Amino acid sequence: CDALHESEILLGPGDCFPVIALVENHVVSARLIAKKSSICYRLKQPHFDYLMKQSTVFHEYCVKKQAKQ
């Protein structure tokens, strides 16, 4: 694997991009790199906010991930 630049994040199994950016409504400027083929979901901020309000499971997952970052 090539060396990562400061603005790159290598993601492995079970990892996700820094959700704190969406939780706090910030822009992510890092390049995200998956170790293997992956499925990605692209959500606009209003859709993310809606999911956070509607799903306790999704909300808890995002808060848990945020705390680990």
Coordinates of all heavy atoms in Angstrom, one line a residue:
C1 N 0.8 -1.2 0.0 CA 0.0 0.0 0.0 C 0.9 1.2 0.0 O 1.9 1.3 0.7 CB -0.9 0.0 1.2 SG -2.0 1.4 1.3
D2 N 0.6 2.2 -0.8 CA 1.3 3.5 -0.8 C 1.1 4.2 0.5 O 0.1 4.0 1.2 CB 0.8 4.3 -2.0 CG 1.1 3.7 -3.4 OD1 2.1 2.9 -3.4 OD2 0.4 3.9 -4.3
A3 N 2.0 5.1 0.8 CA 1.9 5.9 2.0 C 0.7 6.8 1.8 O 0.4 7.3 0.8 CB 3.2 6.7 2.2
L4 N 0.0 7.0 2.9 CA -1.2 7.9 2.9 C -0.8 9.3 3.1 O 0.2 9.6 3.9 CB -2.2 7.5 4.0 CG -2.8 6.1 3.9 CD1 -3.7 5.9 5.1 CD2 -3.6 6.0 2.7
H5 N -1.4 10.2 2.4 CA -1.2 11.7 2.6 C -2.0 12.1 3.8 O -2.9 11.4 4.3 CB -1.6 12.4 1.4 CG -0.8 12.1 0.2 ND1 0.5 12.6 0.0 CD2 -1.0 11.3 -0.8 CE1 1.0 12.1 -1.1 NE2 0.1 11.3 -1.6
E6 N -1.7 13.2 4.4 CA -2.4 13.7 5.6 C -3.9 13.8 5.4 O -4.6 13.6 6.4 CB -1.8 15.1 6.0 CG -2.2 15.6 7.3 CD -1.5 16.8 7.7 OE1 -0.2 16.9 7.5 OE2 -2.1 17.7 8.3
S7 N -4.4 14.1 4.2 CA -5.8 14.3 4.0 C -6.5 13.0 3.5 O -7.6 13.1 3.0 CB -6.0 15.4 3.0 OG -5.5 15.1 1.7
E8 N -5.8 11.9 3.7 CA -6.4 10.6 3.3 C -6.7 9.7 4.5 O -6.0 9.8 5.5 CB -5.5 9.8 2.4 CG -5.2 10.5 1.0 CD -4.3 9.8 0.1 OE1 -3.4 9.1 0.7 OE2 -4.4 9.9 -1.1
I9 N -7.8 9.0 4.4 CA -8.2 8.1 5.5 C -8.4 6.7 4.9 O -9.1 6.5 3.9 CB -9.5 8.5 6.2 CG1 -9.3 9.9 6.7 CG2 -9.9 7.5 7.2 CD1 -10.6 10.6 7.2
L10 N -7.7 5.7 5.4 CA -7.8 4.3 5.0 C -8.9 3.6 5.8 O -8.8 3.6 7.0 CB -6.5 3.6 5.1 CG -6.4 2.1 4.6 CD1 -6.7 2.1 3.1 CD2 -5.1 1.5 4.9
L11 N -9.9 3.0 5.1 CA -11.0 2.4 5.8 C -10.9 0.9 5.6 O -10.7 0.4 4.5 CB -12.3 2.9 5.3 CG -12.5 4.4 5.5 CD1 -13.8 4.9 4.8 CD2 -12.5 4.9 6.9
G12 N -11.1 0.1 6.7 CA -11.1 -1.3 6.6 C -12.5 -1.8 7.0 O -13.5 -1.1 7.2
P13 N -12.7 -3.2 7.2 CA -13.9 -3.8 7.5 C -14.5 -3.1 8.8 O -13.9 -3.0 9.8 CB -13.6 -5.2 7.8 CG -12.3 -5.5 6.9 CD -11.6 -4.2 7.0
G14 N -15.8 -2.8 8.7 CA -16.5 -2.2 9.8 C -16.3 -0.7 10.0 O -16.9 -0.1 10.9
D15 N -15.4 -0.1 9.3 CA -15.1 1.3 9.4 C -16.1 2.1 8.6 O -16.7 1.6 7.7 CB -13.7 1.7 8.9 CG -12.6 1.1 9.8 OD1 -12.8 0.8 10.9 OD2 -11.4 1.0 9.3
C16 N -16.2 3.4 9.0 CA -17.0 4.3 8.1 C -16.3 5.7 8.2 O -15.4 5.9 9.0 CB -18.4 4.4 8.7 SG -18.6 5.2 10.2
F17 N -16.7 6.5 7.2 CA -16.1 7.8 7.2 C -16.4 8.6 8.4 O -17.3 8.2 9.2 CB -16.6 8.6 5.9 CG -18.0 9.0 6.0 CD1 -18.4 10.2 6.5 CD2 -19.0 8.1 5.7 CE1 -19.7 10.6 6.5 CE2 -20.4 8.4 5.7 CZ -20.7 9.6 6.2
P18 N -15.7 9.7 8.7 CA -15.9 10.4 9.9 C -17.3 11.0 10.0 O -17.6 12.1 9.4 CB -14.8 11.5 9.9 CG -13.8 11.0 8.9 CD -14.6 10.2 7.9
V19 N -18.2 10.4 10.7 CA -19.6 10.9 10.7 C -19.8 12.1 11.5 O -20.8 12.8 11.4 CB -20.6 9.8 11.3 CG1 -20.7 8.6 10.3 CG2 -20.2 9.4 12.7
I20 N -18.7 12.5 12.3 CA -18.8 13.7 13.0 C -19.0 14.9 12.1 O -19.7 15.9 12.5 CB -17.5 13.9 13.9 CG1 -17.8 15.1 14.9 CG2 -16.3 14.1 13.1 CD1 -16.7 15.2 16.0
A21 N -18.5 14.8 10.9 CA -18.7 15.9 9.9 C -20.2 16.1 9.6 O -20.6 17.2 9.5 CB -17.9 15.6 8.7
L22 N -20.9 15.0 9.4 CA -22.3 15.1 9.2 C -23.1 15.5 10.4 O -24.0 16.3 10.3 CB -22.9 13.8 8.6 CG -22.5 13.5 7.1 CD1 -22.9 12.1 6.7 CD2 -23.1 14.5 6.2
V23 N -22.7 14.9 11.5 CA -23.4 15.2 12.8 C -23.3 16.7 13.1 O -24.3 17.4 13.5 CB -22.8 14.4 14.0 CG1 -23.4 14.9 15.3 CG2 -23.2 12.9 13.8
E24 N -22.1 17.3 12.9 CA -21.9 18.7 13.1 C -22.0 19.6 11.9 O -21.7 20.8 12.0 CB -20.5 18.9 13.8 CG -20.4 18.2 15.1 CD -19.1 18.4 15.8 OE1 -18.1 18.9 15.2 OE2 -18.9 18.0 17.0
N25 N -22.5 19.0 10.8 CA -22.8 19.7 9.6 C -21.5 20.4 9.0 O -21.5 21.6 8.6 CB -23.9 20.7 9.7 CG -24.5 21.2 8.4 OD1 -24.3 20.5 7.4 ND2 -25.3 22.2 8.5
H26 N -20.4 19.7 9.0 CA -19.1 20.2 8.4 C -18.8 19.5 7.1 O -19.4 18.4 6.8 CB -18.0 19.9 9.4 CG -18.1 20.6 10.7 ND1 -17.0 20.6 11.6 CD2 -19.0 21.4 11.3 CE1 -17.4 21.4 12.6 NE2 -18.6 21.8 12.5
V27 N -17.9 20.1 6.4 CA -17.5 19.5 5.1 C -16.3 18.5 5.3 O -15.5 18.9 6.1 CB -17.1 20.6 4.1 CG1 -16.5 20.0 2.8 CG2 -18.2 21.5 3.8
V28 N -16.4 17.4 4.7 CA -15.2 16.5 4.8 C -14.3 16.7 3.6 O -14.8 16.7 2.4 CB -15.7 15.0 4.7 CG1 -14.5 14.0 4.6 CG2 -16.6 14.7 5.9
S29 N -13.1 17.0 3.8 CA -12.2 17.3 2.7 C -11.1 16.3 2.6 O -10.3 16.4 1.7 CB -11.5 18.7 3.0 OG -10.8 18.6 4.2
A30 N -11.2 15.2 3.3 CA -10.3 14.1 3.2 C -10.7 13.1 2.0 O -11.8 13.0 1.7 CB -10.2 13.3 4.5
R31 N -9.7 12.5 1.5 CA -9.9 11.5 0.5 C -10.1 10.1 1.2 O -9.2 9.8 2.0 CB -8.8 11.4 -0.5 CG -9.0 10.5 -1.7 CD -7.9 10.6 -2.7 NE -7.4 9.2 -2.8 CZ -6.3 8.9 -3.4 NH1 -5.5 9.9 -3.9 NH2 -5.9 7.7 -3.6
L32 N -11.1 9.4 1.0 CA -11.4 8.2 1.8 C -11.1 7.0 0.9 O -11.5 7.0 -0.3 CB -12.8 8.1 2.2 CG -13.3 9.3 3.0 CD1 -14.8 9.3 3.2 CD2 -12.6 9.4 4.4
I33 N -10.3 6.0 1.4 CA -9.8 4.9 0.6 C -10.3 3.6 1.3 O -10.0 3.4 2.5 CB -8.3 4.9 0.5 CG1 -7.8 6.3 -0.1 CG2 -7.8 3.7 -0.3 CD1 -6.3 6.5 0.0
A34 N -11.0 2.8 0.6 CA -11.5 1.5 1.1 C -10.4 0.4 0.8 O -9.8 0.5 -0.3 CB -12.8 1.1 0.5
K35 N -10.1 -0.5 1.7 CA -9.2 -1.5 1.5 C -9.6 -2.5 0.5 O -8.8 -3.1 -0.2 CB -8.9 -2.3 2.8 CG -8.1 -1.5 3.8 CD -7.9 -2.3 5.1 CE -7.1 -1.5 6.1 NZ -6.8 -2.3 7.4
K36 N -11.0 -2.8 0.4 CA -11.5 -3.7 -0.6 C -12.7 -3.0 -1.3 O -13.2 -2.0 -0.9 CB -12.0 -5.0 0.1 CG -10.9 -5.8 0.7 CD -11.4 -7.0 1.4 CE -10.3 -7.8 2.0 NZ -10.8 -9.1 2.6
S37 N -13.3 -3.7 -2.3 CA -14.5 -3.2 -2.9 C -15.5 -2.9 -1.9 O -15.7 -3.7 -0.9 CB -15.0 -4.2 -3.9 OG -14.1 -4.3 -5.0
S38 N -16.2 -1.9 -2.0 CA -17.2 -1.4 -0.9 C -18.5 -0.9 -1.6 O -18.4 -0.4 -2.7 CB -16.6 -0.4 0.0 OG -15.4 -0.8 0.5
I39 N -19.5 -0.9 -0.8 CA -20.7 -0.2 -1.2 C -20.8 1.1 -0.3 O -20.6 1.1 0.9 CB -22.0 -1.1 -0.9 CG1 -21.9 -2.3 -1.7 CG2 -23.3 -0.3 -1.1 CD1 -23.0 -3.3 -1.4
C40 N -21.0 2.2 -1.0 CA -21.1 3.5 -0.3 C -22.5 4.1 -0.6 O -23.0 4.0 -1.7 CB -20.0 4.4 -0.9 SG -18.4 3.8 -0.6
Y41 N -23.0 4.8 0.4 CA -24.2 5.5 0.3 C -23.9 7.0 0.4 O -23.2 7.4 1.3 CB -25.2 5.1 1.4 CG -25.6 3.7 1.3 CD1 -25.0 2.7 2.1 CD2 -26.6 3.3 0.5 CE1 -25.4 1.4 2.0 CE2 -27.0 1.9 0.4 CZ -26.4 1.0 1.2 OH -26.7 -0.3 1.1
R42 N -24.4 7.7 -0.5 CA -24.2 9.2 -0.5 C -25.5 9.8 -0.1 O -26.6 9.7 -0.7 CB -23.9 9.7 -1.9 CG -23.6 11.1 -2.0 CD -23.1 11.5 -3.4 NE -22.8 12.9 -3.4 CZ -22.4 13.5 -4.5 NH1 -22.2 12.8 -5.6 NH2 -22.1 14.8 -4.4
L43 N -25.5 10.5 1.1 CA -26.6 11.1 1.7 C -26.4 12.6 1.7 O -25.3 13.1 2.1 CB -26.9 10.7 3.1 CG -27.2 9.2 3.3 CD1 -27.3 8.9 4.8 CD2 -28.5 8.9 2.7
K44 N -27.4 13.4 1.3 CA -27.4 14.8 1.4 C -27.7 15.1 2.9 O -28.3 14.3 3.6 CB -28.4 15.5 0.5 CG -28.0 15.3 -0.9 CD -29.0 16.0 -1.8 CE -28.6 15.9 -3.3 NZ -29.4 16.6 -4.2
Q45 N -27.2 16.3 3.4 CA -27.3 16.6 4.8 C -28.8 16.5 5.3 O -29.0 15.9 6.4 CB -26.8 18.0 5.0 CG -26.7 18.4 6.5 CD -25.7 17.6 7.3 OE1 -24.5 17.5 6.8 NE2 -26.0 17.1 8.4
P46 N -29.8 17.0 4.5 CA -31.2 16.9 5.0 C -31.6 15.4 5.2 O -32.3 15.1 6.2 CB -32.0 17.6 4.0 CG -31.1 18.5 3.3 CD -29.7 17.8 3.3
H47 N -31.1 14.5 4.3 CA -31.5 13.1 4.5 C -30.8 12.5 5.7 O -31.4 11.7 6.4 CB -31.1 12.4 3.2 CG -31.9 12.8 2.0 ND1 -31.3 13.0 0.8 CD2 -33.2 13.2 1.9 CE1 -32.2 13.4 -0.1 NE2 -33.4 13.6 0.6
F48 N -29.6 12.9 5.9 CA -28.8 12.4 7.1 C -29.5 12.9 8.4 O -29.8 12.1 9.3 CB -27.4 12.9 7.1 CG -26.6 12.4 8.3 CD1 -26.0 11.2 8.3 CD2 -26.4 13.3 9.3 CE1 -25.3 10.8 9.4 CE2 -25.7 12.9 10.4 CZ -25.2 11.7 10.5
D49 N -29.9 14.1 8.4 CA -30.6 14.7 9.6 C -31.9 14.0 9.8 O -32.3 13.7 11.0 CB -30.8 16.2 9.4 CG -29.5 17.0 9.3 OD1 -28.5 16.5 9.8 OD2 -29.6 18.1 8.8
Y50 N -32.6 13.7 8.7 CA -33.9 13.0 8.9 C -33.7 11.6 9.5 O -34.4 11.2 10.4 CB -34.6 12.9 7.5 CG -35.8 12.1 7.5 CD1 -37.0 12.7 7.9 CD2 -35.9 10.8 7.1 CE1 -38.2 11.9 7.9 CE2 -37.0 10.0 7.1 CZ -38.2 10.6 7.5 OH -39.4 9.9 7.5
L51 N -32.7 10.9 9.0 CA -32.4 9.5 9.5 C -32.0 9.6 11.0 O -32.4 8.7 11.8 CB -31.3 8.9 8.7 CG -31.7 8.3 7.3 CD1 -30.5 7.8 6.6 CD2 -32.7 7.2 7.5
M52 N -31.3 10.6 11.3 CA -30.9 10.8 12.7 C -32.1 11.0 13.6 O -32.1 10.4 14.8 CB -29.9 12.0 12.9 CG -28.5 11.7 12.3 SD -27.5 10.7 13.4 CE -27.1 11.8 14.7
K53 N -33.1 11.7 13.1 CA -34.3 11.9 13.9 C -35.2 10.8 13.9 O -35.9 10.5 14.9 CB -35.0 13.2 13.4 CG -34.3 14.5 13.6 CD -35.0 15.6 13.0 CE -34.2 16.9 13.2 NZ -34.7 18.0 12.4
Q54 N -35.3 10.0 12.9 CA -36.3 9.0 12.7 C -35.8 7.6 13.2 O -36.7 6.8 13.6 CB -36.7 8.8 11.2 CG -37.4 10.0 10.7 CD -38.7 10.3 11.4 OE1 -39.5 9.4 11.6 NE2 -38.9 11.5 11.7
S55 N -34.5 7.4 13.3 CA -34.0 6.0 13.7 C -33.1 6.1 14.9 O -32.0 6.7 14.8 CB -33.3 5.4 12.5 OG -32.6 4.2 12.9
T56 N -33.6 5.6 16.0 CA -32.8 5.5 17.2 C -31.5 4.7 17.0 O -30.5 5.1 17.4 CB -33.6 4.9 18.4 OG1 -34.8 5.7 18.5 CG2 -32.9 4.9 19.6
V57 N -31.7 3.6 16.3 CA -30.5 2.7 16.0 C -29.5 3.5 15.2 O -28.3 3.5 15.5 CB -31.0 1.5 15.3 CG1 -29.8 0.6 14.8 CG2 -31.9 0.6 16.1
F58 N -29.9 4.2 14.1 CA -29.0 5.0 13.3 C -28.3 6.1 14.1 O -27.1 6.3 14.1 CB -29.7 5.5 12.1 CG -28.8 6.3 11.1 CD1 -27.9 5.6 10.3 CD2 -28.8 7.6 11.0 CE1 -27.1 6.2 9.4 CE2 -28.0 8.3 10.2 CZ -27.1 7.6 9.3
H59 N -29.1 6.8 14.9 CA -28.6 7.9 15.7 C -27.5 7.4 16.7 O -26.5 7.9 16.9 CB -29.8 8.5 16.5 CG -29.3 9.7 17.3 ND1 -28.9 9.6 18.6 CD2 -29.2 11.0 17.0 CE1 -28.6 10.7 19.1 NE2 -28.8 11.6 18.1
E60 N -27.8 6.3 17.4 CA -26.9 5.7 18.4 C -25.6 5.2 17.7 O -24.5 5.4 18.2 CB -27.5 4.6 19.1 CG -28.6 5.1 20.1 CD -29.3 3.9 20.8 OE1 -29.1 2.7 20.6 OE2 -30.2 4.2 21.6
Y61 N -25.7 4.6 16.5 CA -24.6 4.2 15.7 C -23.7 5.4 15.4 O -22.5 5.3 15.6 CB -25.0 3.5 14.5 CG -23.8 3.1 13.6 CD1 -23.1 2.0 13.8 CD2 -23.5 3.9 12.5 CE1 -22.0 1.7 13.0 CE2 -22.5 3.6 11.7 CZ -21.7 2.5 11.9 OH -20.6 2.2 11.1
C62 N -24.3 6.5 14.9 CA -23.5 7.7 14.6 C -22.8 8.3 15.8 O -21.7 8.7 15.7 CB -24.4 8.7 13.8 SG -24.9 8.1 12.2
V63 N -23.6 8.4 16.9 CA -23.0 9.0 18.1 C -21.9 8.1 18.6 O -20.8 8.6 19.0 CB -24.1 9.2 19.2 CG1 -23.5 9.6 20.5 CG2 -25.1 10.2 18.7
K64 N -22.0 6.8 18.6 CA -21.0 5.8 19.0 C -19.8 6.0 18.1 O -18.6 6.0 18.6 CB -21.5 4.4 18.9 CG -20.6 3.4 19.4 CD -21.3 2.0 19.3 CE -20.3 0.9 19.5 NZ -21.0 -0.4 19.3
K65 N -19.9 6.1 16.8 CA -18.8 6.2 15.9 C -18.1 7.6 16.1 O -16.9 7.7 16.1 CB -19.3 6.1 14.4 CG -19.5 4.7 14.0 CD -18.2 4.0 13.8 CE -18.5 2.6 13.3 NZ -17.2 1.8 13.2
Q66 N -18.9 8.6 16.4 CA -18.3 9.9 16.6 C -17.5 9.9 17.9 O -16.4 10.5 17.9 CB -19.5 10.9 16.8 CG -19.0 12.3 17.2 CD -20.1 13.3 17.4 OE1 -21.2 13.1 16.9 NE2 -19.9 14.3 18.2
A67 N -17.9 9.2 18.9 CA -17.2 9.2 20.2 C -15.8 8.4 20.0 O -14.8 8.8 20.7 CB -18.0 8.5 21.2
K68 N -15.7 7.5 19.1 CA -14.5 6.7 18.8 C -13.5 7.5 18.0 O -12.4 7.1 17.9 CB -14.8 5.4 18.2 CG -15.5 4.4 19.1 CD -15.7 3.1 18.4 CE -16.4 2.1 19.3 NZ -16.6 0.8 18.7
Q69 N -13.9 8.6 17.3 CA -13.0 9.3 16.4 C -12.3 10.4 17.1 O -12.6 10.9 18.1 CB -13.8 9.8 15.2 CG -14.4 8.7 14.4 CD -15.3 9.1 13.3 OE1 -15.6 10.3 13.1 NE2 -15.8 8.2 12.5

